Amino acid sequence: MIESSALNLKTRSNLWRAVRIGFFLAVRDIKKANKWATALIIAVMILTFLNLIVVSGILVGLIEGAINQNKERYSSDIIISTLPNKRYIDDSANIVKTIKSVPEVLNFTTRYTEKGVIQANYKNRTRLTDLVDSAGGLVAGIDPVIENEVTGLSKYIVEGEYLGPNDTDQIMIGADLLYKYSPIDSPGFQTLKNVEVGSKVRLLAGSSTREVTVKGILKSKVGEIDQRVYMIDTEFRSIIGRINFNVNEIAIKLKSGADVNAVVSEIKSLGVDKNAKIQTYEEAQPKFLSDIKVTFSILGDLIGSIGLAVACITIFIIIFVNAITRRRYIGILKGIGIDALAIEVSYIFQSVFYALCGMIVGSVVVFAFLQPYITVHPINFPFSDGILVATPLGTFTRALILFIATMVAGYIPARIVVKQNTLDAILGR
């Protein structure tokens, strides 16, 4: 027992000595190394780290941006909508009173919706049997002032002007319904051609037909907005014959710091869920967005793994070439009694130095520059304003993987060279 303890103590002492000597040799080698070569190696590690973090972060951020847009521009924090077997939300007036009584609610907007058809160029037909240029979509009646306060809808006008409270014969059209913005010519998806701001179009909704003027065109990169036609709610109610005040959607904006799930539970406890479907903005997201988010996350990890493999190979080659060119030096170190483990440890420390420098500089670039900049200036993708998603936990996990992989990549070539015969190494054989 005493001999075993003494042996373990001696082993730990030898290991600690190898670590101290290895650290000394690593510092000495790094100081003597060519500065440009060291800078180049660190640059490779920085780019590898950025590849691990940024590529995955941009791919996930593309979908995260779409989710944020859907929340900010359409559903807000909570969306209350019509039950599947109903035409509208029954008892909407009392539900609105209930919502007003909830302390966490900052503001909300109500919408009337109905399927409709927009027809254009109908006056230019030479025969009554000719088909008119038409597109189908959801028509929404809104209070333009309140809607803008909740969702900021006016910010997404790309042509023309936003609706005013007295624009009874004017509409706004989503860009996805216009061929100019969605040049798709498919039997299953029709868009309006030659329609712009100021054009007269015919609106068919409910059992009514009304000629209206296009006042503005919306492009928000949110399907629920860009595939709709908007007009003021008072006029729309008269068109569809909605004599009651039962609405189809209520988007609720909460006060800063409010717990969305807690507010949803509170609203349900007040009996609102008997007449309407209540969802948080996350629950209301289209399923394909969550599916694509998972897919892009996997794709980002795959691309990052390739970059990680390239970095490991690079470190392996650098350490191997460095060790091969210094075989005589390594042989002399072994000849004067330096333990082989200490020499191997010195190369591991060198690899760790390169990895730490790359990760530290890369983290500063990501969190101090890239992420704040892209948050303020999102990447303009066709269907999303992409952001960079980089969490401290995710970054730490990827950094740890890179750190371990670099240590292994530094140890293996050093081990290969150090195992050679000492005399052969000194004589260069």
Side-chain angles (χ1 to χ4, degrees):
M1 184 72 176
I2 296 174
E3 290 181 0
S4 177
S5 299
L7 184 61
N8 289 335
L9 183 61
K10 184 178 180 182
T11 301
R12 287 196 296 269
S13 177
N14 290 339
L15 181 60
W16 175 239
R17 184 170 63 251
V19 170
R20 285 187 294 125
I21 295 172
F23 181 77
F24 171 78
L25 293 174
V27 172
R28 185 173 176 274
D29 288 344
I30 291 171
K31 285 182 177 179
K32 282 189 165 187
N34 184 285
K35 292 182 179 180
W36 291 107
T38 301
L40 182 60
I41 297 169
I42 293 174
V44 170
M45 298 308 298
I46 293 171
L47 293 175
T48 301
F49 181 79
L50 291 177
N51 183 54
L52 284 172
I53 304 301
V54 175
V55 173
S56 176
I58 289 294
L59 289 174
V60 174
L62 189 155
I63 304 304
E64 196 69 36
I67 291 172
N68 291 339
Q69 289 165 199
N70 203 73
K71 172 190 173 184
E72 294 170 3
R73 305 172 189 182
Y74 168 66
S75 68
S76 203
D77 295 298
I78 298 172
I79 181 80
I80 299 178
S81 56
T82 309
L83 292 171
N85 60 338
K86 297 288 186 177
R87 285 190 58 201
Y88 43 70
I89 300 173
D90 290 325
D91 201 22
S92 292
N94 284 327
I95 289 176
V96 167
K97 290 180 182 177
T98 300
I99 293 169
K100 288 180 179 179
S101 69
V102 177
E104 294 85 356
V105 172
L106 178 65
N107 204 349
F108 64 91
T109 180
T110 58
R111 306 175 187 128
Y112 300 88
T113 63
E114 190 85 19
K115 289 183 179 179
V117 175
I118 296 291
Q119 294 180 342
N121 305 319
Y122 48 88
K123 293 182 178 180
N124 299 330
R125 289 186 297 173
T126 56
R127 298 175 185 167
L128 291 176
T129 55
D130 291 344
L131 295 176
V132 297
D133 190 12
S134 65
L138 205 63
V139 186
I142 60 171
D143 182 322
V145 176
I146 296 177
E147 180 72 33
N148 193 49
E149 290 175 356
V150 176
T151 62
L153 197 61
S154 65
K155 294 186 292 186
Y156 311 111
I157 294 287
V158 291
E159 287 188 46
E161 298 177 356
Y162 187 68
L163 283 177
N166 300 317
D167 292 331
T168 55
D169 61 344
Q170 301 190 69
I171 61 170
M172 297 184 299
I173 294 185
D176 286 353
L177 298 177
L178 302 177
Y179 186 83
K180 177 179 179 181
Y181 292 95
S182 298
I184 301 172
D185 199 357
S186 168
F189 186 82
Q190 292 180 301
T191 53
L192 298 170
K193 298 179 177 65
N194 303 318
V195 172
E196 54 189 22
V197 173
S199 298
K200 294 282 187 181
V201 295
R202 196 155 56 190
L203 171 64
L204 287 71
S207 58
S208 302
T209 302
R210 185 75 57 88
E211 187 175 69
V212 291
T213 304
V214 178
K215 185 177 184 181
I217 297 172
L218 287 163
K219 186 174 178 61
S220 66
K221 299 182 182 180
V222 176
E224 284 79 1
I225 295 175
D226 295 347
Q227 294 173 9
R228 289 187 175 189
V229 176
Y230 287 88
M231 66 186 312
I232 63 171
D233 51 5
T234 52
E235 186 67 14
F236 185 59
R237 283 180 55 247
S238 67
I239 291 176
I240 61 176
R242 187 80 59 87
I243 58 175
N244 54 41
F245 288 90
N246 288 330
V247 299
N248 296 85
E249 293 176 355
I250 305 173
I252 304 172
K253 187 174 185 179
L254 302 181
K255 294 177 181 177
S256 178
D259 187 332
V260 176
N261 293 311
V263 175
V264 167
S265 298
E266 183 178 354
I267 293 174
K268 286 182 178 180
S269 70
L270 296 172
V272 174
D273 57 337
K274 294 178 181 178
N275 295 313
K277 181 166 66 175
I278 308 169
Q279 296 174 293
T280 66
Y281 70 92
E282 291 178 330
E283 295 170 339
Q285 297 295 332
K287 186 178 182 299
F288 81 92
L289 283 180
S290 59
D291 291 341
I292 295 177
K293 184 178 179 179
V294 173
T295 302
F296 278 11
S297 179
I298 295 171
L299 183 60
D301 290 340
L302 178 61
I303 295 172
S305 299
I306 296 172
L308 180 62
V310 171
C312 290
I313 293 170
T314 302
I315 291 296
F316 182 96
I317 293 172
I318 290 168
I319 298 298
F320 186 74
V321 170
N322 187 20
I324 284 291
T325 56
R326 305 184 71 194
R327 286 175 60 206
R328 188 185 300 274
Y329 169 74
I330 292 172
I332 293 171
L333 288 177
K334 291 172 65 180
I336 63 175
I338 301 297
D339 189 64
L341 180 60
I343 300 172
E344 293 165 5
V345 168
S346 72
Y347 284 102
I348 293 175
F349 274 126
Q350 290 180 55
S351 301
V352 168
F353 170 76
Y354 298 137
L356 285 177
C357 287
M359 289 186 288
I360 292 170
V361 175
S363 297
V364 171
V365 171
V366 170
F367 291 104
F369 297 99
L370 283 180
Q371 193 173 50
Y373 179 81
I374 294 176
T375 300
V376 178
H377 305 90
I379 302 172
N380 186 21
F381 292 111
F383 68 92
S384 167
D385 291 335
I387 59 175
L388 173 60
V389 176
T391 62
L393 179 60
T395 302
F396 175 78
T397 302
R398 287 173 170 81
L400 183 61
I401 293 171
L402 178 60
F403 185 80
I404 295 172
T406 304
M407 287 181 64
V408 174
Y411 170 75
I412 293 175
R415 177 67 175 166
I416 293 172
V417 175
V418 170
K419 281 180 66 178
Q420 292 183 346
N421 182 272
T422 302
L423 185 58
D424 288 341
I426 294 173
L427 298 176
R429 295 187 300 199

